[in-house]
Amino acid sequence: MGYLLLGKISKPKGLKGEVKVFSHTDFAFLRYQTGNTVYYRENNEYRPLVVASFYHYAEFDVVSFKDYQDVKLVSSLIGKELYVKKEDAKLPDGYYHLSDLVGLKVKDNNQIVGEVRAVIALPAHYLLRCESADHRQFDIPFVEAFILGVNLTDKVIKVKLIEGML
């Protein structure tokens, strides 16, 4: 069973146990619905938290958890990363988890030019870190200009590379 990173608890907001979360998910409204279970890691163990409330504030998501409805109770959670079980992280049709892109073959003009080794988050967009058959690394910005399509069933990303990218 895999877990996906949702974000990191930054600090308390107010006195009622709400915390600011610096999110790494584009679907916070789905992940932090009241009653959903999220997890934090402690001593290499995933421990559950049940969401009591959620709203977006400035650049943060503000979340409170059942049984943590006081600022003193959430102090032990500050700095912890929040996760969701991958099997529980349903997405709308046409969307996929970035972690699903790792391992996909990269095709340019119907020729395999490499394989995705990592997805890197940049301020403006994501970057696919790829490796060719001869073990050279190259990067592809994950933007419409270069990504023609993603097919998870066939495990292929079709791209349009420009001169100098390989």
Side-chain angles (χ1 to χ4, degrees), residues 124-158:
H125 55 78
Y126 292 101
L127 188 71
L128 300 179
R129 170 86 18 101
C130 304
E131 186 175 312
S132 65
D134 61 357
H135 304 290
R136 288 182 296 126
Q137 285 193 354
F138 61 98
D139 296 332
I140 305 171
F142 197 68
V143 295
E144 205 172 283
F146 300 110
I147 306 299
L148 301 177
V150 175
N151 187 324
L152 294 178
T153 305
D154 294 339
K155 299 184 186 261
V156 170
I157 297 177
K158 291 184 180 179

Short mmCIF file of all heavy atoms in Angstrom, two decimals, residues 124-158:
data_model
loop_
_atom_site.label_atom_id
_atom_site.label_comp_id
_atom_site.label_asym_id
_atom_site.label_seq_id
_atom_site.Cartn_x
_atom_site.Cartn_y
_atom_site.Cartn_z
N ALA A 124 6.97 27.36 -11.49
CA ALA A 124 6.09 27.63 -12.63
C ALA A 124 5.39 26.39 -13.17
O ALA A 124 4.30 26.48 -13.72
CB ALA A 124 6.87 28.30 -13.75
N HIS A 125 6.02 25.22 -13.05
CA HIS A 125 5.49 23.99 -13.62
C HIS A 125 6.26 22.81 -13.08
O HIS A 125 7.19 22.97 -12.31
CB HIS A 125 5.55 24.03 -15.16
CG HIS A 125 6.93 24.30 -15.69
ND1 HIS A 125 7.91 23.35 -15.75
CD2 HIS A 125 7.50 25.45 -16.13
CE1 HIS A 125 9.02 23.88 -16.24
NE2 HIS A 125 8.80 25.15 -16.46
N TYR A 126 5.90 21.61 -13.53
CA TYR A 126 6.64 20.41 -13.17
C TYR A 126 7.67 20.13 -14.26
O TYR A 126 7.53 20.57 -15.40
CB TYR A 126 5.70 19.21 -13.02
CG TYR A 126 4.79 19.35 -11.83
CD1 TYR A 126 3.47 19.75 -11.99
CD2 TYR A 126 5.25 19.09 -10.55
CE1 TYR A 126 2.64 19.89 -10.91
CE2 TYR A 126 4.42 19.24 -9.45
CZ TYR A 126 3.11 19.63 -9.63
OH TYR A 126 2.29 19.78 -8.56
N LEU A 127 8.68 19.36 -13.89
CA LEU A 127 9.75 18.98 -14.81
C LEU A 127 9.90 17.47 -14.76
O LEU A 127 9.95 16.88 -13.67
CB LEU A 127 11.05 19.65 -14.36
CG LEU A 127 12.25 19.54 -15.28
CD1 LEU A 127 12.03 20.42 -16.51
CD2 LEU A 127 13.50 20.01 -14.55
N LEU A 128 9.92 16.85 -15.93
CA LEU A 128 10.16 15.41 -16.00
C LEU A 128 11.66 15.18 -16.13
O LEU A 128 12.27 15.64 -17.10
CB LEU A 128 9.45 14.79 -17.20
CG LEU A 128 7.93 14.93 -17.25
CD1 LEU A 128 7.39 14.27 -18.52
CD2 LEU A 128 7.29 14.34 -16.02
N ARG A 129 12.25 14.51 -15.17
CA ARG A 129 13.66 14.13 -15.25
C ARG A 129 13.69 12.75 -15.87
O ARG A 129 13.14 11.81 -15.34
CB ARG A 129 14.27 14.14 -13.85
CG ARG A 129 15.64 13.57 -13.69
CD ARG A 129 16.85 14.47 -13.94
NE ARG A 129 16.73 15.88 -13.94
CZ ARG A 129 17.07 16.71 -12.94
NH1 ARG A 129 17.50 16.25 -11.80
NH2 ARG A 129 16.99 18.02 -13.10
N CYS A 130 14.31 12.66 -17.06
CA CYS A 130 14.30 11.43 -17.84
C CYS A 130 15.70 10.89 -18.02
O CYS A 130 16.69 11.60 -17.84
CB CYS A 130 13.67 11.70 -19.21
SG CYS A 130 12.01 12.41 -19.12
N GLU A 131 15.75 9.62 -18.44
CA GLU A 131 17.03 8.99 -18.72
C GLU A 131 16.92 8.22 -20.03
O GLU A 131 15.96 7.48 -20.25
CB GLU A 131 17.41 8.03 -17.59
CG GLU A 131 18.78 7.44 -17.74
CD GLU A 131 19.18 6.59 -16.54
OE1 GLU A 131 19.01 7.06 -15.39
OE2 GLU A 131 19.63 5.45 -16.77
N SER A 132 17.92 8.43 -20.90
CA SER A 132 17.93 7.75 -22.19
C SER A 132 18.50 6.33 -22.02
O SER A 132 19.02 5.99 -20.96
CB SER A 132 18.78 8.53 -23.20
OG SER A 132 20.13 8.53 -22.79
N ALA A 133 18.43 5.53 -23.10
CA ALA A 133 18.93 4.16 -23.06
C ALA A 133 20.42 4.11 -22.76
O ALA A 133 20.91 3.15 -22.16
CB ALA A 133 18.63 3.45 -24.39
N ASP A 134 21.15 5.16 -23.16
CA ASP A 134 22.59 5.19 -22.89
C ASP A 134 22.91 5.95 -21.58
O ASP A 134 24.01 6.43 -21.38
CB ASP A 134 23.37 5.76 -24.07
CG ASP A 134 23.00 7.18 -24.41
OD1 ASP A 134 22.08 7.73 -23.78
OD2 ASP A 134 23.62 7.75 -25.33
N HIS A 135 21.90 6.07 -20.70
CA HIS A 135 22.02 6.60 -19.35
C HIS A 135 22.32 8.09 -19.26
O HIS A 135 22.82 8.57 -18.25
CB HIS A 135 23.05 5.80 -18.54
CG HIS A 135 22.75 4.34 -18.51
ND1 HIS A 135 21.68 3.81 -17.83
CD2 HIS A 135 23.36 3.28 -19.12
CE1 HIS A 135 21.64 2.51 -18.00
NE2 HIS A 135 22.65 2.16 -18.78
N ARG A 136 22.00 8.84 -20.31
CA ARG A 136 22.12 10.30 -20.24
C ARG A 136 20.82 10.85 -19.67
O ARG A 136 19.73 10.41 -20.04
CB ARG A 136 22.38 10.90 -21.63
CG ARG A 136 23.78 10.63 -22.16
CD ARG A 136 24.02 11.28 -23.52
NE ARG A 136 23.13 10.69 -24.52
CZ ARG A 136 22.31 11.38 -25.29
NH1 ARG A 136 22.25 12.69 -25.23
NH2 ARG A 136 21.52 10.77 -26.16
N GLN A 137 20.95 11.82 -18.77
CA GLN A 137 19.76 12.45 -18.22
C GLN A 137 19.37 13.67 -19.05
O GLN A 137 20.23 14.38 -19.56
CB GLN A 137 20.01 12.90 -16.78
CG GLN A 137 20.00 11.75 -15.81
CD GLN A 137 19.93 12.24 -14.37
OE1 GLN A 137 20.00 13.42 -14.09
NE2 GLN A 137 19.81 11.29 -13.45
N PHE A 138 18.06 13.86 -19.18
CA PHE A 138 17.55 15.05 -19.83
C PHE A 138 16.22 15.42 -19.18
O PHE A 138 15.57 14.58 -18.57
CB PHE A 138 17.41 14.86 -21.36
CG PHE A 138 16.45 13.76 -21.77
CD1 PHE A 138 15.15 14.05 -22.15
CD2 PHE A 138 16.87 12.43 -21.80
CE1 PHE A 138 14.27 13.05 -22.53
CE2 PHE A 138 15.99 11.42 -22.18
CZ PHE A 138 14.70 11.73 -22.56
N ASP A 139 15.88 16.68 -19.26
CA ASP A 139 14.67 17.20 -18.62
C ASP A 139 13.68 17.69 -19.66
O ASP A 139 14.07 18.26 -20.67
CB ASP A 139 15.01 18.35 -17.67
CG ASP A 139 15.89 17.91 -16.51
OD1 ASP A 139 15.80 16.74 -16.11
OD2 ASP A 139 16.65 18.75 -15.99
N ILE A 140 12.40 17.47 -19.36
CA ILE A 140 11.32 17.96 -20.22
C ILE A 140 10.35 18.74 -19.35
O ILE A 140 9.79 18.18 -18.40
CB ILE A 140 10.57 16.81 -20.91
CG1 ILE A 140 11.52 15.91 -21.70
CG2 ILE A 140 9.46 17.35 -21.81
CD1 ILE A 140 10.87 14.64 -22.22
N PRO A 141 10.14 20.02 -19.64
CA PRO A 141 9.12 20.76 -18.89
C PRO A 141 7.75 20.11 -19.12
O PRO A 141 7.40 19.78 -20.26
CB PRO A 141 9.17 22.16 -19.50
CG PRO A 141 10.53 22.25 -20.12
CD PRO A 141 10.85 20.87 -20.60
N PHE A 142 7.00 19.90 -18.05
CA PHE A 142 5.70 19.27 -18.15
C PHE A 142 4.65 20.35 -18.46
O PHE A 142 3.84 20.73 -17.62
CB PHE A 142 5.36 18.52 -16.86
CG PHE A 142 4.24 17.53 -17.01
CD1 PHE A 142 4.41 16.39 -17.78
CD2 PHE A 142 3.03 17.73 -16.40
CE1 PHE A 142 3.39 15.46 -17.92
CE2 PHE A 142 1.99 16.82 -16.53
CZ PHE A 142 2.17 15.69 -17.30
N VAL A 143 4.74 20.84 -19.69
CA VAL A 143 3.83 21.88 -20.17
C VAL A 143 3.31 21.47 -21.54
O VAL A 143 3.89 20.64 -22.23
CB VAL A 143 4.54 23.27 -20.26
CG1 VAL A 143 4.95 23.75 -18.87
CG2 VAL A 143 5.73 23.23 -21.19
N GLU A 144 2.20 22.08 -21.93
CA GLU A 144 1.51 21.73 -23.16
C GLU A 144 2.39 21.82 -24.41
O GLU A 144 2.20 21.06 -25.36
CB GLU A 144 0.31 22.67 -23.32
CG GLU A 144 -0.81 22.12 -24.14
CD GLU A 144 -2.03 23.02 -24.09
OE1 GLU A 144 -2.75 22.99 -23.08
OE2 GLU A 144 -2.24 23.75 -25.08
N ALA A 145 3.35 22.70 -24.41
CA ALA A 145 4.22 22.87 -25.58
C ALA A 145 5.05 21.62 -25.87
O ALA A 145 5.41 21.37 -27.03
CB ALA A 145 5.15 24.07 -25.38
N PHE A 146 5.34 20.81 -24.85
CA PHE A 146 6.19 19.63 -25.03
C PHE A 146 5.45 18.31 -24.80
O PHE A 146 5.85 17.29 -25.33
CB PHE A 146 7.39 19.68 -24.09
CG PHE A 146 8.25 20.89 -24.31
CD1 PHE A 146 8.29 21.91 -23.38
CD2 PHE A 146 9.01 21.02 -25.46
CE1 PHE A 146 9.08 23.03 -23.58
CE2 PHE A 146 9.80 22.14 -25.68
CZ PHE A 146 9.83 23.14 -24.74
N ILE A 147 4.40 18.31 -24.01
CA ILE A 147 3.67 17.08 -23.68
C ILE A 147 2.45 16.97 -24.58
O ILE A 147 1.54 17.78 -24.52
CB ILE A 147 3.24 17.07 -22.20
CG1 ILE A 147 4.43 17.32 -21.27
CG2 ILE A 147 2.52 15.78 -21.86
CD1 ILE A 147 5.55 16.30 -21.36
N LEU A 148 2.45 15.97 -25.43
CA LEU A 148 1.33 15.76 -26.35
C LEU A 148 0.25 14.89 -25.76
O LEU A 148 -0.92 15.01 -26.12
CB LEU A 148 1.84 15.15 -27.66
CG LEU A 148 2.89 15.96 -28.42
CD1 LEU A 148 3.35 15.21 -29.66
CD2 LEU A 148 2.34 17.33 -28.78
N GLY A 149 0.65 13.98 -24.86
CA GLY A 149 -0.34 13.10 -24.24
C GLY A 149 0.30 12.14 -23.27
O GLY A 149 1.47 11.78 -23.40
N VAL A 150 -0.50 11.71 -22.31
CA VAL A 150 -0.08 10.73 -21.31
C VAL A 150 -1.04 9.56 -21.41
O VAL A 150 -2.25 9.73 -21.34
CB VAL A 150 -0.10 11.32 -19.89
CG1 VAL A 150 0.22 10.25 -18.86
CG2 VAL A 150 0.85 12.51 -19.77
N ASN A 151 -0.49 8.36 -21.57
CA ASN A 151 -1.30 7.15 -21.64
C ASN A 151 -0.81 6.20 -20.56
O ASN A 151 0.21 5.52 -20.75
CB ASN A 151 -1.20 6.52 -23.03
CG ASN A 151 -2.16 5.37 -23.20
OD1 ASN A 151 -2.41 4.61 -22.27
ND2 ASN A 151 -2.68 5.22 -24.41
N LEU A 152 -1.51 6.17 -19.43
CA LEU A 152 -1.10 5.32 -18.32
C LEU A 152 -1.28 3.84 -18.64
O LEU A 152 -0.52 3.00 -18.16
CB LEU A 152 -1.87 5.67 -17.05
CG LEU A 152 -1.59 7.06 -16.48
CD1 LEU A 152 -2.45 7.31 -15.25
CD2 LEU A 152 -0.12 7.24 -16.14
N THR A 153 -2.27 3.52 -19.47
CA THR A 153 -2.52 2.12 -19.84
C THR A 153 -1.34 1.56 -20.62
O THR A 153 -0.86 0.46 -20.34
CB THR A 153 -3.81 2.00 -20.67
OG1 THR A 153 -4.88 2.59 -19.92
CG2 THR A 153 -4.13 0.55 -20.97
N ASP A 154 -0.86 2.32 -21.61
CA ASP A 154 0.28 1.88 -22.42
C ASP A 154 1.62 2.25 -21.80
O ASP A 154 2.67 1.91 -22.35
CB ASP A 154 0.19 2.48 -23.83
CG ASP A 154 -1.00 1.95 -24.61
OD1 ASP A 154 -1.51 0.87 -24.25
OD2 ASP A 154 -1.42 2.62 -25.57
N LYS A 155 1.60 3.00 -20.68
CA LYS A 155 2.80 3.44 -19.96
C LYS A 155 3.72 4.27 -20.85
O LYS A 155 4.93 4.06 -20.92
CB LYS A 155 3.54 2.25 -19.37
CG LYS A 155 2.69 1.48 -18.37
CD LYS A 155 3.46 0.37 -17.71
CE LYS A 155 2.57 -0.45 -16.85
NZ LYS A 155 2.57 -0.19 -15.47
N VAL A 156 3.11 5.25 -21.55
CA VAL A 156 3.85 6.09 -22.50
C VAL A 156 3.43 7.55 -22.36
O VAL A 156 2.25 7.86 -22.17
CB VAL A 156 3.57 5.63 -23.95
CG1 VAL A 156 4.12 6.61 -24.96
CG2 VAL A 156 4.14 4.25 -24.20
N ILE A 157 4.42 8.43 -22.46
CA ILE A 157 4.17 9.86 -22.58
C ILE A 157 4.66 10.27 -23.96
O ILE A 157 5.83 10.06 -24.29
CB ILE A 157 4.93 10.67 -21.51
CG1 ILE A 157 4.46 10.29 -20.12
CG2 ILE A 157 4.76 12.17 -21.74
CD1 ILE A 157 5.20 10.99 -19.00
N LYS A 158 3.76 10.83 -24.76
CA LYS A 158 4.15 11.33 -26.08
C LYS A 158 4.57 12.78 -25.93
O LYS A 158 3.86 13.58 -25.32
CB LYS A 158 3.00 11.20 -27.07
CG LYS A 158 2.69 9.78 -27.44
CD LYS A 158 1.62 9.69 -28.49
CE LYS A 158 1.36 8.23 -28.82
NZ LYS A 158 0.30 8.10 -29.84
#
